[in-house]
Amino acid sequence: MTQRVSRLPVVFLSMFMAIAIGIVLYLASANNQPVASPPIGSPGTAAAPRPVNLIMRDYHFDPTPLHLYAGETISLTVVNAGMVEHELVLGDSAAQNAWAQADAAATPPAPFATAPPASAPAGTGGLRLILPSGGTMTATYVVPDESLMLACNLPGHRERGMIGEVTLEVR
């Protein structure tokens, strides 16, 4: 005589896993909102740059808006928490356009292509950092007294919403 094996544990485990995966996916999609910028305190100086942290995600920046003081010196730490390579260009519209053109000219026309090194004309201005997924970089930057914006100008990224605001604060 053969004994029947209950399938109840397998059914229970399958249902539990389906519910767990559903919860994880829901929380991952619900947490895709920009993070508010913390209070900024006093402006940084050349001798004591103000630490500023920025996270690049797929496809937005946290925090946005980024609050900076015109003329201050910051120590900007950028983390790419996205799944693909991202670029940070912090600059005026001329810098954004120059890097957008340089990235478009250098990037092969293929989906998810890794951008080869690009170069913008000398004197473009602004700050440009390019990081692989999981990468971190810190740069010292003197904030100019002009309108600034954040953008990832790699082909397709800006179109998917990877633009951030910069608010220049009055001292």
Side-chain angles (χ1 to χ4, degrees):
M1 202 164 37
T2 60
Q3 188 176 22
R4 268 183 78 135
V5 177
S6 173
R7 292 186 182 165
L8 187 59
V10 173
V11 171
F12 178 74
L13 183 60
S14 297
M15 287 176 43
F16 175 78
M17 292 300 291
I19 292 170
I21 290 171
I23 290 171
V24 167
L25 291 175
Y26 171 76
L27 292 176
S29 67
N31 196 18
N32 204 16
Q33 299 301 315
V35 174
S37 180
I40 65 171
S42 59
T45 64
R50 181 172 64 90
V52 175
N53 297 314
L54 184 70
I55 301 171
M56 297 188 295
R57 302 188 189 275
D58 299 329
Y59 288 86
H60 67 275
F61 295 99
D62 286 329
T64 188
L66 183 64
H67 294 275
L68 302 173
Y69 288 108
E72 79 169 320
T73 303
I74 61 171
S75 176
L76 180 64
T77 299
V78 181
V79 177
N80 182 356
M83 298 299 290
V84 297
E85 178 180 65
H86 287 297
E87 167 190 73
L88 163 75
V89 175
L90 175 59
D92 61 11
S93 60
Q96 298 296 340
N97 291 334
W99 281 112
Q101 290 174 2
D103 287 335
T107 304
F112 304 108
T114 299
S119 60
T124 295
L127 172 68
R128 178 187 188 244
L129 303 174
I130 190 160
L131 285 94
S133 176
T136 300
M137 190 177 292
T138 300
T140 301
Y141 181 67
V142 177
V143 179
D145 188 13
E146 59 190 29
S147 178
L148 297 174
M149 66 182 283
L150 298 166
C152 178
N153 294 302
L154 296 178
H157 292 216
R158 194 172 181 172
E159 294 77 9
R160 293 179 83 179
M162 199 156 183
I163 301 170
E165 293 180 42
V166 177
T167 301
L168 291 180
E169 301 290 337
V170 179
R171 294 182 194 220

